Amino acid sequence: MYRYDEFDHGFVSQRTEQFKDQVRRRMAGELSEDEFKPLRLMNGLYLQLHAYMLRVAIPYGTLNGRQMRKLAHIARTYDKGYGHFTTRQNIQFNWPKLEDTPAILEELAEVEMHAIQTSGNCIRNVTADHFAGAAADEIADPRPYAEILRQWSSLHPEFSFLPRKFKIAITGAPHDRAAVQVHDIGLQLTRNEAGEVGFTVFVGGGLGRTPMIGRKVRDFLPEEDLLAYSEAILRVYNLYGRRDNKYKARIKILVHKTGLEELKSDIEAEFERIRHGVLRLPEEEVRRIEAYFAPPPLEVLPETSTRVEARRASDPAFAHFLKHNLNPHRVSGHTSVTLSMKPIGGIPGDASDDQMDKIAELAERFGHDEIRISHEQNVILPHVKLDDLSALYDEAAVAGFAEGNSGLITDIIACPGMDYCALATARSIPVAQRISERFGTPERQAEIGELKIKISGCINACGHHHVGHIGILGLEKKGEEFYQVTLGGSANENASIGEIVGRGFSSEEVVDAIEKLVDTYLDLRTNGDETFLDAYRRVGEQPFKEALYGTG
Amino acid sequence: MQVITANRLLDGEVVWLGLNDEWVESVSDARVFDGKEAVAEGWALGTAAEKDQKVVSVYEMAVIEEDGQLVPVRLREKIRAAGPTTHPELGKQAQAVSA
Ligand code: SF4
């Protein structure tokens, strides 16, 4: 399991002390808001519509019961009893007081957590596949590499003032669950013919105003070159990335403008220069960091559990949960369980203090004290014995996070939108809630099958709408909320950016529009196995357009 | 009709500039600034309060009168004045009910 080494402990407490003093000076009038704002942002503290918001990092979405209990405690003591898991595998508290934030950061530091690198034009927290260390299809656990990248990038003097924020994601399996192709750098673990572990490298992916799928710059980068190659990419970006216009400052624009081949050769040239230097990653170092993430000892057990199978046959809700919320584990007799933070009609990604305590307890009792937060805003217990599923499910059901909807139409990603966010042009959460209610019966969801709806409340695309099978972007038109719908996006290994289907919809119309799209799909699919995305890719947008706007 | 709004420095609470230079927690108590000169005066008061560590993020916003109450024009400001539409039990709207 990941733990801070001593360097980090010292560093985090030093930062907390510093911030405490900065808050004191702000309150005493020694710092103006202009001076203070960059400092608070560096510590994850934003000002939203109703209050301050504190964004706490959960590196690679990995935490344990003790840490989750601390988050529950913070929600209860300093906030209004809940927190919000984000698409960046972070948690946001929506109501902290400025004067309380130093105390919150101190409490977080007690459990090796912090709010550093959740904001600003730096290399943000590295995100990883939420089934890391557990998935049957995994080549290697991506988190040790994410941690190595984190240690390298934390406070890297050269990269603290980049042209713009910079996001890295890494996935350990051929099936990309970390959306690596929509990050500035995307890394996919792979093996070469000799069986050695390395990375396929993508550069220049990103969402926001100008969505782009990352371009592949390397089929196979050897493990030892991870840092040198990343540094080469960052240096080229730091040198050529635009600083005069923040909408053109992300590396994706550079890839687009400079052209892939030229950029690739710049990166390779820089890489050649530094690859044999201090950044070469020694094998022992990788193995040392890997030890932090050592999996719990898991006993090899029969592939099926008679207890579970008996109940599956007689309990439809449980059967539904088993069908959708489990991911195959590399150790027989175990599974990774998705606890759904998407109750029907609920707020995607919100968890109450009591729910967080319960998650901690369940992780300790049934999951070797390991918890993951997914970028899809759900909570995962990665290592659960099949035999424990029944008991786990019952407790999760009482606590309100056992909806068997993972990957289904009600498993919606939604950003906070205009209910909280100062940048929003429309609300996201209420749209998600209404869609969830419309399609919420188990039969209807199961009939529709895999369908990812993603909603953002403005062009910044925190809700990843461009890569939703159905994406919804909330805008403002003549003072009213207005929703633009895109089709055909995807964030997995076959990533694509969704296409705008036509004119947008008012808040009243948008859920009906989604239903028309879904009904059109159900009518035209070849069979129950053809997903919405497959069908869309087969037939194109025409039938969907007609359903929405008629043939005229 | 314009009013001046901000967030209180210490707790982030949404406030509006009221009478006697007080920052009030309900938009209906806000002081209305009509016309260019009045708005400029409002801005000056707001900026001074920002310098004084009372509030942050000062700006002007439009209101109209509905049933004798001041109501923000834009949805964003309506939500700021009430609280998250997804949590009727939180924010100012909750206090309004319990008061
Ligand atoms: S997409 Fe826009 S509205 Fe949604 S959280 Fe991001 S910045 Fe805020």
Side-chain angles (χ1 to χ4, degrees), chain B residues 2-8 13-19 21-31 33 55 59 61-63 72 77-82 92:
Chain B
Q2 301 288 311
V3 296
I4 301 293
T5 187
N7 292 73
R8 206 152 52 202
E13 179 80 31
V14 177
V15 286
W16 294 265
L17 187 55
L19 298 173
D21 292 354
E22 296 282 345
W23 289 88
V24 295
E25 294 188 16
S26 164
V27 66
S28 48
D29 297 332
R31 174 175 163 194
F33 295 89
V55 294
Y59 59 93
M61 52 170 264
V63 289
E77 295 305 328
K78 285 194 176 103
I79 294 175
R80 265 180 96 238
K92 295 176 190 291

mmCIF file of all heavy atoms in Angstrom, chain B residues 2-8 13-19 21-31 33 55 59 61-63 72 77-82 92:
data_model
loop_
_atom_site.group_PDB
_atom_site.id
_atom_site.type_symbol
_atom_site.label_atom_id
_atom_site.label_comp_id
_atom_site.label_asym_id
_atom_site.label_seq_id
_atom_site.Cartn_x
_atom_site.Cartn_y
_atom_site.Cartn_z
ATOM 1 N N GLN B 2 -29.296 47.788 -10.313
ATOM 2 C CA GLN B 2 -28.110 46.998 -10.005
ATOM 3 C C GLN B 2 -27.926 46.904 -8.491
ATOM 4 O O GLN B 2 -28.314 47.815 -7.755
ATOM 5 C CB GLN B 2 -26.865 47.659 -10.605
ATOM 6 C CG GLN B 2 -26.903 47.846 -12.118
ATOM 7 C CD GLN B 2 -26.757 46.529 -12.855
ATOM 8 O OE1 GLN B 2 -25.870 45.752 -12.567
ATOM 9 N NE2 GLN B 2 -27.643 46.275 -13.790
ATOM 10 N N VAL B 3 -27.345 45.802 -8.067
ATOM 11 C CA VAL B 3 -26.897 45.711 -6.683
ATOM 12 C C VAL B 3 -25.443 45.243 -6.712
ATOM 13 O O VAL B 3 -24.965 44.752 -7.739
ATOM 14 C CB VAL B 3 -27.766 44.729 -5.848
ATOM 15 C CG1 VAL B 3 -29.188 45.231 -5.749
ATOM 16 C CG2 VAL B 3 -27.729 43.333 -6.445
ATOM 17 N N ILE B 4 -24.747 45.431 -5.603
ATOM 18 C CA ILE B 4 -23.337 45.027 -5.521
ATOM 19 C C ILE B 4 -23.266 43.763 -4.674
ATOM 20 O O ILE B 4 -23.831 43.700 -3.582
ATOM 21 C CB ILE B 4 -22.490 46.139 -4.865
ATOM 22 C CG1 ILE B 4 -22.586 47.442 -5.665
ATOM 23 C CG2 ILE B 4 -21.042 45.699 -4.703
ATOM 24 C CD1 ILE B 4 -21.958 47.407 -7.036
ATOM 25 N N THR B 5 -22.597 42.764 -5.207
ATOM 26 C CA THR B 5 -22.508 41.505 -4.470
ATOM 27 C C THR B 5 -21.059 41.083 -4.308
ATOM 28 O O THR B 5 -20.162 41.601 -4.980
ATOM 29 C CB THR B 5 -23.330 40.407 -5.175
ATOM 30 O OG1 THR B 5 -23.346 39.244 -4.354
ATOM 31 C CG2 THR B 5 -22.748 40.056 -6.531
ATOM 32 N N ALA B 6 -20.832 40.142 -3.386
ATOM 33 C CA ALA B 6 -19.480 39.636 -3.104
ATOM 34 C C ALA B 6 -19.616 38.386 -2.244
ATOM 35 O O ALA B 6 -20.732 37.947 -1.954
ATOM 36 C CB ALA B 6 -18.675 40.692 -2.357
ATOM 37 N N ASN B 7 -18.487 37.799 -1.882
ATOM 38 C CA ASN B 7 -18.495 36.745 -0.871
ATOM 39 C C ASN B 7 -17.746 37.261 0.350
ATOM 40 O O ASN B 7 -16.744 37.959 0.218
ATOM 41 C CB ASN B 7 -17.806 35.476 -1.382
ATOM 42 C CG ASN B 7 -18.582 34.802 -2.481
ATOM 43 O OD1 ASN B 7 -18.620 35.285 -3.610
ATOM 44 N ND2 ASN B 7 -19.223 33.692 -2.167
ATOM 45 N N ARG B 8 -18.261 36.919 1.522
ATOM 46 C CA ARG B 8 -17.586 37.363 2.733
ATOM 47 C C ARG B 8 -16.235 36.665 2.831
ATOM 48 O O ARG B 8 -16.130 35.461 2.575
ATOM 49 C CB ARG B 8 -18.458 37.029 3.949
ATOM 50 C CG ARG B 8 -18.213 37.942 5.119
ATOM 51 C CD ARG B 8 -19.435 38.084 5.997
ATOM 52 N NE ARG B 8 -19.958 36.779 6.388
ATOM 53 C CZ ARG B 8 -21.214 36.575 6.779
ATOM 54 N NH1 ARG B 8 -22.070 37.566 6.829
ATOM 55 N NH2 ARG B 8 -21.607 35.368 7.120
ATOM 56 N N GLU B 13 -19.583 33.290 2.598
ATOM 57 C CA GLU B 13 -21.027 33.526 2.469
ATOM 58 C C GLU B 13 -21.327 34.596 1.406
ATOM 59 O O GLU B 13 -20.645 35.612 1.329
ATOM 60 C CB GLU B 13 -21.570 33.985 3.840
ATOM 61 C CG GLU B 13 -23.044 34.304 3.891
ATOM 62 C CD GLU B 13 -23.937 33.070 3.994
ATOM 63 O OE1 GLU B 13 -23.507 32.063 4.580
ATOM 64 O OE2 GLU B 13 -25.074 33.133 3.480
ATOM 65 N N VAL B 14 -22.356 34.334 0.600
ATOM 66 C CA VAL B 14 -22.764 35.305 -0.413
ATOM 67 C C VAL B 14 -23.420 36.504 0.278
ATOM 68 O O VAL B 14 -24.322 36.334 1.091
ATOM 69 C CB VAL B 14 -23.755 34.665 -1.403
ATOM 70 C CG1 VAL B 14 -24.250 35.699 -2.418
ATOM 71 C CG2 VAL B 14 -23.119 33.483 -2.104
ATOM 72 N N VAL B 15 -22.958 37.699 -0.064
ATOM 73 C CA VAL B 15 -23.516 38.906 0.563
ATOM 74 C C VAL B 15 -23.746 39.992 -0.488
ATOM 75 O O VAL B 15 -23.193 39.929 -1.593
ATOM 76 C CB VAL B 15 -22.568 39.452 1.666
ATOM 77 C CG1 VAL B 15 -22.619 38.589 2.906
ATOM 78 C CG2 VAL B 15 -21.135 39.584 1.145
ATOM 79 N N TRP B 16 -24.597 40.941 -0.121
ATOM 80 C CA TRP B 16 -24.861 42.096 -0.975
ATOM 81 C C TRP B 16 -24.641 43.348 -0.144
ATOM 82 O O TRP B 16 -24.811 43.331 1.091
ATOM 83 C CB TRP B 16 -26.308 42.062 -1.486
ATOM 84 C CG TRP B 16 -26.572 40.915 -2.401
ATOM 85 C CD1 TRP B 16 -26.524 40.934 -3.764
ATOM 86 C CD2 TRP B 16 -26.919 39.582 -2.029
ATOM 87 N NE1 TRP B 16 -26.814 39.685 -4.269
ATOM 88 C CE2 TRP B 16 -27.053 38.835 -3.227
ATOM 89 C CE3 TRP B 16 -27.117 38.922 -0.813
ATOM 90 C CZ2 TRP B 16 -27.387 37.481 -3.239
ATOM 91 C CZ3 TRP B 16 -27.440 37.581 -0.818
ATOM 92 C CH2 TRP B 16 -27.572 36.872 -2.018
ATOM 93 N N LEU B 17 -24.295 44.396 -0.817
ATOM 94 C CA LEU B 17 -24.110 45.660 -0.129
ATOM 95 C C LEU B 17 -25.486 46.234 0.207
ATOM 96 O O LEU B 17 -26.321 46.419 -0.677
ATOM 97 C CB LEU B 17 -23.326 46.616 -1.029
ATOM 98 C CG LEU B 17 -22.882 47.930 -0.420
ATOM 99 C CD1 LEU B 17 -22.070 47.715 0.859
ATOM 100 C CD2 LEU B 17 -22.055 48.722 -1.426
ATOM 101 N N GLY B 18 -25.715 46.468 1.508
ATOM 102 C CA GLY B 18 -27.013 46.984 1.950
ATOM 103 C C GLY B 18 -26.919 48.454 2.316
ATOM 104 O O GLY B 18 -25.992 49.159 1.889
ATOM 105 N N LEU B 19 -27.839 48.877 3.128
ATOM 106 C CA LEU B 19 -27.803 50.268 3.569
ATOM 107 C C LEU B 19 -26.700 50.434 4.608
ATOM 108 O O LEU B 19 -26.222 49.459 5.189
ATOM 109 C CB LEU B 19 -29.171 50.645 4.161
ATOM 110 C CG LEU B 19 -30.323 50.555 3.147
ATOM 111 C CD1 LEU B 19 -31.659 50.769 3.841
ATOM 112 C CD2 LEU B 19 -30.135 51.558 2.009
ATOM 113 N N ASP B 21 -23.635 50.826 4.409
ATOM 114 C CA ASP B 21 -22.388 50.086 4.140
ATOM 115 C C ASP B 21 -22.327 48.716 4.805
ATOM 116 O O ASP B 21 -21.257 48.143 4.967
ATOM 117 C CB ASP B 21 -21.146 50.875 4.603
ATOM 118 C CG ASP B 21 -20.949 52.101 3.746
ATOM 119 O OD1 ASP B 21 -21.704 52.257 2.758
ATOM 120 O OD2 ASP B 21 -20.054 52.889 4.072
ATOM 121 N N GLU B 22 -23.452 48.195 5.233
ATOM 122 C CA GLU B 22 -23.457 46.848 5.808
ATOM 123 C C GLU B 22 -23.509 45.847 4.663
ATOM 124 O O GLU B 22 -24.110 46.111 3.633
ATOM 125 C CB GLU B 22 -24.729 46.646 6.657
ATOM 126 C CG GLU B 22 -24.847 47.540 7.859
ATOM 127 C CD GLU B 22 -23.983 47.055 9.001
ATOM 128 O OE1 GLU B 22 -23.533 45.897 8.944
ATOM 129 O OE2 GLU B 22 -23.745 47.845 9.933
ATOM 130 N N TRP B 23 -22.924 44.674 4.882
ATOM 131 C CA TRP B 23 -23.071 43.590 3.902
ATOM 132 C C TRP B 23 -24.157 42.658 4.422
ATOM 133 O O TRP B 23 -24.047 42.140 5.529
ATOM 134 C CB TRP B 23 -21.750 42.859 3.683
ATOM 135 C CG TRP B 23 -20.788 43.731 2.940
ATOM 136 C CD1 TRP B 23 -19.914 44.616 3.487
ATOM 137 C CD2 TRP B 23 -20.646 43.846 1.523
ATOM 138 N NE1 TRP B 23 -19.225 45.276 2.497
ATOM 139 C CE2 TRP B 23 -19.649 44.819 1.279
ATOM 140 C CE3 TRP B 23 -21.256 43.233 0.421
ATOM 141 C CZ2 TRP B 23 -19.239 45.190 -0.003
ATOM 142 C CZ3 TRP B 23 -20.851 43.589 -0.859
ATOM 143 C CH2 TRP B 23 -19.861 44.557 -1.063
ATOM 144 N N VAL B 24 -25.199 42.479 3.631
ATOM 145 C CA VAL B 24 -26.364 41.729 4.109
ATOM 146 C C VAL B 24 -26.422 40.358 3.444
ATOM 147 O O VAL B 24 -25.880 40.155 2.358
ATOM 148 C CB VAL B 24 -27.669 42.516 3.820
ATOM 149 C CG1 VAL B 24 -27.677 43.802 4.616
ATOM 150 C CG2 VAL B 24 -27.820 42.793 2.330
ATOM 151 N N GLU B 25 -27.065 39.410 4.105
ATOM 152 C CA GLU B 25 -27.071 38.022 3.618
ATOM 153 C C GLU B 25 -28.268 37.701 2.739
ATOM 154 O O GLU B 25 -28.392 36.582 2.246
ATOM 155 C CB GLU B 25 -27.014 37.052 4.803
ATOM 156 C CG GLU B 25 -25.700 37.151 5.552
ATOM 157 C CD GLU B 25 -25.531 36.082 6.610
ATOM 158 O OE1 GLU B 25 -26.270 35.079 6.577
ATOM 159 O OE2 GLU B 25 -24.653 36.254 7.470
ATOM 160 N N SER B 26 -29.174 38.666 2.586
ATOM 161 C CA SER B 26 -30.338 38.393 1.749
ATOM 162 C C SER B 26 -30.424 39.454 0.657
ATOM 163 O O SER B 26 -30.306 40.651 0.929
ATOM 164 C CB SER B 26 -31.602 38.421 2.603
ATOM 165 O OG SER B 26 -32.726 38.529 1.754
ATOM 166 N N VAL B 27 -30.630 39.008 -0.565
ATOM 167 C CA VAL B 27 -30.649 39.947 -1.687
ATOM 168 C C VAL B 27 -31.782 40.954 -1.522
ATOM 169 O O VAL B 27 -31.695 42.092 -1.978
ATOM 170 C CB VAL B 27 -30.719 39.205 -3.043
ATOM 171 C CG1 VAL B 27 -32.031 38.467 -3.214
ATOM 172 C CG2 VAL B 27 -30.503 40.160 -4.210
ATOM 173 N N SER B 28 -32.840 40.563 -0.827
ATOM 174 C CA SER B 28 -33.956 41.502 -0.695
ATOM 175 C C SER B 28 -33.592 42.697 0.184
ATOM 176 O O SER B 28 -34.260 43.721 0.150
ATOM 177 C CB SER B 28 -35.205 40.786 -0.172
ATOM 178 O OG SER B 28 -34.869 40.004 0.932
ATOM 179 N N ASP B 29 -32.505 42.564 0.970
ATOM 180 C CA ASP B 29 -32.065 43.700 1.780
ATOM 181 C C ASP B 29 -30.994 44.543 1.088
ATOM 182 O O ASP B 29 -30.422 45.446 1.696
ATOM 183 C CB ASP B 29 -31.493 43.203 3.120
ATOM 184 C CG ASP B 29 -32.541 42.484 3.950
ATOM 185 O OD1 ASP B 29 -33.732 42.805 3.786
ATOM 186 O OD2 ASP B 29 -32.165 41.595 4.745
ATOM 187 N N ALA B 30 -30.696 44.199 -0.156
ATOM 188 C CA ALA B 30 -29.602 44.905 -0.838
ATOM 189 C C ALA B 30 -30.011 46.335 -1.181
ATOM 190 O O ALA B 30 -31.183 46.645 -1.359
ATOM 191 C CB ALA B 30 -29.216 44.154 -2.100
ATOM 192 N N ARG B 31 -29.000 47.178 -1.255
ATOM 193 C CA ARG B 31 -29.246 48.567 -1.659
ATOM 194 C C ARG B 31 -29.210 48.629 -3.185
ATOM 195 O O ARG B 31 -28.292 48.106 -3.823
ATOM 196 C CB ARG B 31 -28.151 49.442 -1.060
ATOM 197 C CG ARG B 31 -28.219 50.872 -1.520
ATOM 198 C CD ARG B 31 -27.159 51.704 -0.783
ATOM 199 N NE ARG B 31 -26.943 52.954 -1.490
ATOM 200 C CZ ARG B 31 -25.918 53.763 -1.263
ATOM 201 N NH1 ARG B 31 -25.001 53.425 -0.360
ATOM 202 N NH2 ARG B 31 -25.792 54.891 -1.917
ATOM 203 N N PHE B 33 -28.703 50.337 -6.745
ATOM 204 C CA PHE B 33 -27.974 51.442 -7.363
ATOM 205 C C PHE B 33 -28.538 51.639 -8.760
ATOM 206 O O PHE B 33 -28.427 50.741 -9.598
ATOM 207 C CB PHE B 33 -26.482 51.132 -7.426
ATOM 208 C CG PHE B 33 -25.856 51.012 -6.074
ATOM 209 C CD1 PHE B 33 -25.818 49.784 -5.412
ATOM 210 C CD2 PHE B 33 -25.312 52.129 -5.439
ATOM 211 C CE1 PHE B 33 -25.248 49.680 -4.157
ATOM 212 C CE2 PHE B 33 -24.742 52.016 -4.181
ATOM 213 C CZ PHE B 33 -24.711 50.790 -3.535
ATOM 214 N N VAL B 55 -14.793 41.501 2.336
ATOM 215 C CA VAL B 55 -15.365 40.649 1.285
ATOM 216 C C VAL B 55 -14.336 40.408 0.190
ATOM 217 O O VAL B 55 -13.300 41.066 0.135
ATOM 218 C CB VAL B 55 -16.607 41.315 0.639
ATOM 219 C CG1 VAL B 55 -17.744 41.443 1.643
ATOM 220 C CG2 VAL B 55 -16.257 42.662 0.030
ATOM 221 N N TYR B 59 -18.712 42.320 -7.435
ATOM 222 C CA TYR B 59 -19.197 42.696 -8.771
ATOM 223 C C TYR B 59 -20.640 43.185 -8.699
ATOM 224 O O TYR B 59 -21.312 43.020 -7.674
ATOM 225 C CB TYR B 59 -19.035 41.562 -9.781
ATOM 226 C CG TYR B 59 -19.750 40.270 -9.438
ATOM 227 C CD1 TYR B 59 -21.037 40.015 -9.922
ATOM 228 C CD2 TYR B 59 -19.135 39.299 -8.662
ATOM 229 C CE1 TYR B 59 -21.690 38.821 -9.637
ATOM 230 C CE2 TYR B 59 -19.775 38.110 -8.364
ATOM 231 C CZ TYR B 59 -21.048 37.879 -8.851
ATOM 232 O OH TYR B 59 -21.689 36.706 -8.556
ATOM 233 N N MET B 61 -24.605 43.246 -10.170
ATOM 234 C CA MET B 61 -25.537 42.337 -10.840
ATOM 235 C C MET B 61 -26.916 42.984 -10.924
ATOM 236 O O MET B 61 -27.263 43.861 -10.130
ATOM 237 C CB MET B 61 -25.612 41.019 -10.076
ATOM 238 C CG MET B 61 -25.901 41.206 -8.601
ATOM 239 S SD MET B 61 -26.264 39.697 -7.718
ATOM 240 C CE MET B 61 -28.058 39.728 -7.780
ATOM 241 N N ALA B 62 -27.687 42.528 -11.902
ATOM 242 C CA ALA B 62 -28.993 43.142 -12.145
ATOM 243 C C ALA B 62 -30.075 42.463 -11.307
ATOM 244 O O ALA B 62 -30.056 41.248 -11.104
ATOM 245 C CB ALA B 62 -29.329 43.022 -13.621
ATOM 246 N N VAL B 63 -31.006 43.280 -10.820
ATOM 247 C CA VAL B 63 -32.171 42.733 -10.099
ATOM 248 C C VAL B 63 -33.444 43.363 -10.674
ATOM 249 O O VAL B 63 -33.389 44.403 -11.326
ATOM 250 C CB VAL B 63 -32.107 43.045 -8.586
ATOM 251 C CG1 VAL B 63 -31.029 42.242 -7.905
ATOM 252 C CG2 VAL B 63 -31.912 44.532 -8.343
ATOM 253 N N PRO B 72 -32.857 38.537 -8.303
ATOM 254 C CA PRO B 72 -31.829 38.597 -9.343
ATOM 255 C C PRO B 72 -32.417 38.256 -10.709
ATOM 256 O O PRO B 72 -33.351 37.459 -10.808
ATOM 257 C CB PRO B 72 -30.820 37.521 -8.931
ATOM 258 C CG PRO B 72 -31.089 37.253 -7.492
ATOM 259 C CD PRO B 72 -32.536 37.533 -7.280
ATOM 260 N N GLU B 77 -27.321 34.111 -10.534
ATOM 261 C CA GLU B 77 -27.476 34.940 -9.339
ATOM 262 C C GLU B 77 -28.666 34.486 -8.498
ATOM 263 O O GLU B 77 -28.660 34.629 -7.277
ATOM 264 C CB GLU B 77 -27.590 36.409 -9.727
ATOM 265 C CG GLU B 77 -26.317 36.962 -10.367
ATOM 266 C CD GLU B 77 -25.072 36.751 -9.491
ATOM 267 O OE1 GLU B 77 -25.202 36.759 -8.257
ATOM 268 O OE2 GLU B 77 -23.971 36.555 -10.062
ATOM 269 N N LYS B 78 -29.677 33.949 -9.162
ATOM 270 C CA LYS B 78 -30.806 33.386 -8.399
ATOM 271 C C LYS B 78 -30.304 32.231 -7.536
ATOM 272 O O LYS B 78 -30.685 32.083 -6.372
ATOM 273 C CB LYS B 78 -31.883 32.855 -9.356
ATOM 274 C CG LYS B 78 -32.710 33.938 -10.013
ATOM 275 C CD LYS B 78 -33.955 33.317 -10.659
ATOM 276 C CE LYS B 78 -34.856 34.391 -11.229
ATOM 277 N NZ LYS B 78 -34.801 34.566 -12.664
ATOM 278 N N ILE B 79 -29.449 31.389 -8.143
ATOM 279 C CA ILE B 79 -28.922 30.236 -7.399
ATOM 280 C C ILE B 79 -28.008 30.709 -6.270
ATOM 281 O O ILE B 79 -28.080 30.209 -5.148
ATOM 282 C CB ILE B 79 -28.200 29.253 -8.357
ATOM 283 C CG1 ILE B 79 -29.219 28.627 -9.314
ATOM 284 C CG2 ILE B 79 -27.453 28.176 -7.573
ATOM 285 C CD1 ILE B 79 -28.622 27.736 -10.400
ATOM 286 N N ARG B 80 -27.201 31.716 -6.549
ATOM 287 C CA ARG B 80 -26.347 32.262 -5.482
ATOM 288 C C ARG B 80 -27.186 32.814 -4.335
ATOM 289 O O ARG B 80 -26.821 32.727 -3.176
ATOM 290 C CB ARG B 80 -25.464 33.380 -6.027
ATOM 291 C CG ARG B 80 -24.087 32.939 -6.454
ATOM 292 C CD ARG B 80 -23.307 34.128 -6.967
ATOM 293 N NE ARG B 80 -22.452 34.728 -5.977
ATOM 294 C CZ ARG B 80 -22.492 35.992 -5.580
ATOM 295 N NH1 ARG B 80 -23.377 36.812 -6.081
ATOM 296 N NH2 ARG B 80 -21.646 36.452 -4.680
ATOM 297 N N ALA B 81 -28.312 33.412 -4.697
ATOM 298 C CA ALA B 81 -29.138 34.048 -3.671
ATOM 299 C C ALA B 81 -29.923 33.031 -2.846
ATOM 300 O O ALA B 81 -30.420 33.353 -1.766
ATOM 301 C CB ALA B 81 -30.096 35.034 -4.326
ATOM 302 N N ALA B 82 -30.026 31.805 -3.344
ATOM 303 C CA ALA B 82 -30.860 30.813 -2.662
ATOM 304 C C ALA B 82 -30.059 29.639 -2.110
ATOM 305 O O ALA B 82 -30.268 29.178 -0.991
ATOM 306 C CB ALA B 82 -31.928 30.305 -3.628
ATOM 307 N N LYS B 92 -28.983 29.573 1.740
ATOM 308 C CA LYS B 92 -29.900 30.605 2.228
ATOM 309 C C LYS B 92 -31.353 30.163 2.206
ATOM 310 O O LYS B 92 -32.137 30.528 3.057
ATOM 311 C CB LYS B 92 -29.736 31.855 1.381
ATOM 312 C CG LYS B 92 -28.370 32.482 1.526
ATOM 313 C CD LYS B 92 -28.228 33.658 0.609
ATOM 314 C CE LYS B 92 -26.802 34.155 0.564
ATOM 315 N NZ LYS B 92 -26.380 34.787 1.821
#
